[in-house]
Amino acid sequence: MTARPDTREFFEARLRAIGEERYHDRHPFHQRLHSGDCTPDQVRAWVINRYYYQSRIPMKDAAFMSRVSDPALRRAWRSRIEDHDGRAPGEGGIARWLKLAEGVGLDPDYVASEVGILPATRFAVDAYVRFVRDEPLLLAVASSLTELFAPKIHADRIAGLLKHYEFANETTISYFKHRLTEAPQDVAFGLAWVLDRAVTKADQDAAARALIFKTEVLWAQLDALWSAYVEPSRIPPGAWQPGEGLL
Amino acid sequence: MTARPDTREFFEARLRAIGEERYHDRHPFHQRLHSGDCTPDQVRAWVINRYYYQSRIPMKDAAFMSRVSDPALRRAWRSRIEDHDGRAPGEGGIARWLKLAEGVGLDPDYVASEVGILPATRFAVDAYVRFVRDEPLLLAVASSLTELFAPKIHADRIAGLLKHYEFANETTISYFKHRLTEAPQDVAFGLAWVLDRAVTKADQDAAARALIFKTEVLWAQLDALWSAYVEPSRIPPGAWQPGEGLL
C-alpha cells in the first residue's frame, strides 16, 4: 500500500518545522556572536571558515545548473551565481564577505587563499556540493530551502553586530543586507518548485530529509568552530591560529 | 629528461592547425548544407540533432563553473550561459535555434522534447559534457577552443543558407549572426587562458589532444547524420523519421 502524501499545506509546514528545530540560528555560536560575546579572534575564525562556505555556493549552484536541461529553470537559478560573483571585480556576495574580513582586521587575500580553514568545515561544505551534484534535482532544490529561515538570522545578525562590535558598519555588514532581499526571492522560487513536484509521500519524505541534511551541514560548521576556538579551544593542526593572516 | 615546451607562438599555431585539419567545416555534410544540396528533410534532421548539442552547451559550461573556485574566472565564463539561455523566455541562443526549427517547418516543442535525436549524437555530446566535468580545467578550456574556427563556418553558413534555401531569413538565421560576435569574445579569453597555463610540453600536448577530442565530438555528429539521412540513409530505430514533428 502506498502511503498517502501530505497536503501541500501540511508538507510546507513540515519543512518549516525543520527550520524551527534544526536551523543554525539555534546554535550557541550564533547566540554568542549576535550578543557580542565573541572575542575578535572568534569573529575572525567565523569569517575565515564561513568564507569557504560562501565560496562554494556558486560552485554548488553551477553544479545544479549543469544537470538542468530546461533553459527556464537554469535562467531562474542563474541569478544566484550572479548574486555571489557579481558583474565586475569587487561586486557580489563573495567580494562583500571579503569586506567583512577586512573589517575584522583580516587580510582578504589570506581569507580568499582558503588556508587555515578547519577540515571539518571543508568536509561539511564539500558534502553539500556533492549532494547537489549527485542527488535527484528535487532533493538538490529541497536542500537549498534553508534560505526559508535565513532572513531572521540575517536581521538578528545585522542588529547584533551593529550593536556590539566596533568593526560593524554599512560596508562590513553589506553582505547580510543584500541577502535580506536576495534570499527571499530565491527561496520563494525553490519552495514552489519543491511543493509542486514532491507529490508522493516518498518524495516528500526524501525532500524533508534533504533539508535536514542541509541543516546538518550548517550546524556541523559551527560545532567545529566552537571546538577549535571557543571550547575546548583545541585548534586542529594546520588550521588558522590567532595572529595569522592579519592586515 | 623533460621535453622542451613549444614557444607560445608555436603552440598557438599547433592549436590552429588542428582546426585546419579536423574542424567540421571540412565535413561533407556541411559542404552539402551550405551549397544548397540538402533536402528539406536533411536540413530538418540537422536542426533536430544539432539542437541536442546546443541544449547541452550551457550544462557543459555550468559543469565547468562548478569546478572553478576563482570568482573572476566564473564571472568571465558566465556570459556563455547567458548567451545561450538569455535573460527572459524567448531570448538567447537556444530560443533562436528553435526559431530556425520553426523556419524549416518543425514544431519547436517537438525539437525541444529531444525525441528522435540520433543515439550517436547523444553519445558524442554527452561525452563532451563529461569531459568538461571530469578532466583538468586546462583541458576543459582547451576543448572549447573549436570556437577559434567557428566564425568562418558561421559566415559560410549564413551566406549559404540565405542563397540556397527559402526558409532562410533574418529570424531563422539569427542564431548564427549572434554567434559571429559572441564566439570571438569567448575564444579570445579561452585561448589566452590556455596559452598562459600550458607551459610544459606535457600540458601543451594534453591541451592539443583535448582540442582534437572536441573536433571528434563535432565530426561524429555529422557522420551520424550522414549515415542516417544521406547515405546509406539508414535511420536507426527510434530516431526521427521524415514527416514527424512537423508544424
Side-chain angles (χ1 to χ4, degrees), chain A residues 51 55-56 58-59 62-63 65-69 71 74-75 78 81-82 85-91 94 114, chain B residues 51 55-56 58-59 62-63 65-69 71 74-75 78 81-82 85-91 94 114 129:
Chain A
Y51 175 82
S55 77
R56 263 51 191 175
M59 297 169 73
M65 288 172 61
S66 78
R67 305 175 59 204
V68 171
S69 61
R74 280 199 305 268
R75 201 161 40 230
R78 207 175 64 211
I81 300 182
E82 293 171 9
D85 286 345
R87 307 216 130 258
E91 296 180 0
I94 291 175
E114 300 174 11
Chain B
Y51 175 82
S55 79
R56 263 49 189 176
M59 297 169 73
M65 288 173 60
S66 78
R67 305 174 60 204
V68 171
S69 60
R74 280 199 305 267
R75 200 159 43 229
R78 206 176 63 213
I81 299 182
E82 293 171 11
D85 286 345
R87 308 215 130 259
E91 295 181 3
I94 290 175
E114 300 174 11
V129 178

Side-chain angles (χ1 to χ4, degrees), chain B residues 15-161:
Chain B
L15 295 176
R16 291 187 183 275
I18 290 168
E20 293 291 326
E21 272 184 40
R22 294 169 176 265
Y23 191 56
H24 64 171
D25 60 340
R26 302 179 64 87
H27 193 284
F29 189 88
H30 275 152
Q31 292 168 1
R32 189 178 182 90
L33 176 68
H34 300 167
S35 62
D37 290 340
C38 275
T39 66
D41 282 332
Q42 286 166 350
V43 175
R44 289 179 187 127
W46 170 67
V47 168
I48 288 168
N49 278 277
R50 173 84 186 190
Y51 175 82
Y52 188 70
Y53 178 74
Q54 300 302 140
S55 79
R56 263 49 189 176
I57 294 299
M59 297 169 73
K60 178 272 294 183
D61 288 320
F64 178 77
M65 288 173 60
S66 78
R67 305 174 60 204
V68 171
S69 60
D70 173 11
L73 178 54
R74 280 199 305 267
R75 200 159 43 229
W77 211 264
R78 206 176 63 213
S79 64
R80 294 167 185 249
I81 299 182
E82 293 171 11
D83 288 344
H84 276 82
D85 286 345
R87 308 215 130 259
E91 295 181 3
I94 290 175
R96 286 191 281 272
W97 194 268
L98 292 174
K99 287 285 171 197
L100 173 63
E102 272 188 86
V104 300
L106 289 165
D107 179 349
D109 290 340
Y110 174 82
V111 175
S113 76
E114 300 174 11
V115 170
I117 309 280
L118 289 165
T121 302
R122 286 187 193 274
F123 299 152
V125 171
D126 293 353
Y128 180 38
V129 178
R130 272 200 307 277
F131 185 95
V132 170
R133 190 188 64 201
D134 296 339
E135 294 294 323
L137 290 187
L138 175 65
L139 307 194
V141 178
S143 71
S144 76
L145 296 184
T146 46
E147 295 197 358
L148 280 171
F149 322 124
K152 183 179 173 303
I153 203 173
H154 288 321
D156 289 353
R157 184 167 300 156
I158 289 167
L161 296 183

